[in-house]
Amino acid sequence: MNGTVLDRAFYDRPVVRVAQELLGKRLVRDWQGQRVSGLIVEAEAYLAAGDPASHSYRGPTRRNRSMFGPPGHAYVYTIHTRYCLNVVCESQGVGAAVLIRAVEPEEGMELMARWRSRSNPLDWTRGPGRLCEAFQLNLQWDGWDLTTGHGLWIEQGPALPEWTLGVSPRIGIRLAQELPLRFFVQGHCFVSGTRRLNGHTQAGFAWLQQLPVGASRRKAVMNFPKPQSPRQSKLDN
DNA sequence: CTACCGATTGACT
DNA sequence: GTCAATCGGTAGA
């Protein structure tokens, strides 16, 4: 299950490109030797310039200083008593980051279920605040170097069926709503937001096989249809 | 110091 | 669909 850890060069590139290419990669948390992981299915880019919705828009502060640090580190912030996880991109001194908005659970689901205290697996990691709770991420992880392969990192994901890149405006922002900077796996059942923004289907990659045995699995299988046949994938640019 | 606001979520009509 | 919780960041007096 282990994969190659994404290195600093991956993050040291234009933030929009990193946001798109993070889809399908695996976010991993090591908790006492146990892996908690999921495949990234939704991400948003926040630009270093010309983006009033970005926390970096007004320059460095105590809160957002990680955003201006070296690429490949985490930027974790609080919002409405929740935490959100970003990965810092582009050169040091440049305030660009990708918000990880949703992952499909892969490993450590017992821990996710405990930490999220919700029976429906779809509620574990669908949304930036939810996935931080499912991975037990908080401000202690702000500034964490994601390229070491310890504690918290992102690695090359598994081979996936072909899928379609979805693009939309970012969710939950007031300013710069016109910018198409949200990227997601079209139709994936762990993508947050409304149907209109998300696409029509409710397919996942492989999560049905990963669910715990028992009542929660039966319920999940009943509630959520099987993945439909794959479609084209392409990340141009 | 006070006042306002938000890259959210969960409960409720 | 609507709305309140709840608190750190930010701006301004």
Side-chain angles (χ1 to χ4, degrees):
Chain A
M1 198 57 104
N2 294 39
T4 305
V5 178
L6 301 185
D7 61 12
R8 205 162 317 282
F10 178 89
Y11 302 100
D12 191 8
R13 298 181 299 154
V15 63
V16 170
R17 184 167 179 85
V18 175
Q20 294 175 353
E21 294 192 10
L22 276 174
L23 299 179
K25 301 295 191 294
R26 182 185 290 124
L27 177 69
V28 187
R29 161 88 199 271
D30 177 272
W31 186 79
Q32 299 184 0
Q34 184 172 357
R35 283 167 61 97
V36 179
S37 76
L39 301 179
I40 298 171
V41 297
E42 181 183 4
E44 289 178 348
Y46 287 86
L47 309 181
D51 182 5
S54 173
H55 286 176
S56 63
Y57 187 62
R58 294 165 194 278
T61 66
R62 173 175 223 81
R63 174 208 209 188
N64 67 12
R65 66 192 188 285
S66 297
M67 247 184 120
F68 293 88
H73 287 243
Y75 165 46
V76 181
Y77 68 91
T78 61
I79 177 74
H80 291 278
T81 72
R82 311 274 168 170
Y83 302 105
C84 291
L85 170 67
N86 296 252
V87 298
V88 178
C89 300
E90 305 186 10
S91 313
Q92 178 158 8
V94 172
V98 174
L99 171 68
I100 309 299
R101 286 196 58 93
V103 306
E104 170 182 327
E106 266 201 322
E107 302 166 277
M109 296 199 193
E110 329 74 50
L111 293 171
M112 295 184 193
R114 185 197 308 171
W115 290 334
R116 283 284 294 142
S117 61
R118 289 220 136 6
S119 59
N120 188 342
L122 266 190
D123 288 334
W124 291 345
T125 56
R126 199 177 84 97
R130 290 166 174 167
L131 83 83
C132 278
E133 190 170 53
F135 280 67
Q136 284 287 282
L137 301 177
N138 54 35
L139 288 183
Q140 293 181 336
W141 294 92
D142 183 39
W144 188 265
D145 187 348
L146 298 168
T147 66
T148 68
H150 293 103
L152 179 68
W153 67 92
I154 302 175
E155 61 187 33
Q156 190 66 44
L160 295 172
E162 291 200 330
W163 52 275
T164 302
L165 174 69
V167 182
S168 82
R170 293 168 293 184
I171 289 182
I173 57 169
R174 185 173 54 91
L175 304 169
Q177 291 180 3
E178 71 282 4
L179 299 178
L181 294 177
R182 173 176 174 259
F183 306 102
F184 56 98
V185 176
Q186 186 83 39
H188 193 286
C189 56
F190 277 90
V191 170
S192 69
T194 67
R195 252 183 180 201
R196 191 176 63 76
L197 294 173
N198 179 8
H200 303 313
T201 72
Q202 289 293 310
F205 285 138
W207 71 287
L208 283 176
Q209 292 82 358
Q210 308 280 341
L211 288 177
V213 188
S216 60
R217 171 161 189 168
R218 279 200 303 279
K219 178 184 175 187
V221 171
M222 287 191 332
N223 287 348
F224 306 111
K226 295 170 180 141
Q228 65 166 210
S229 52
R231 320 237 294 272
Q232 61 172 19
S233 105
K234 264 309 142 249
L235 297 176
D236 290 315
N237 285 358

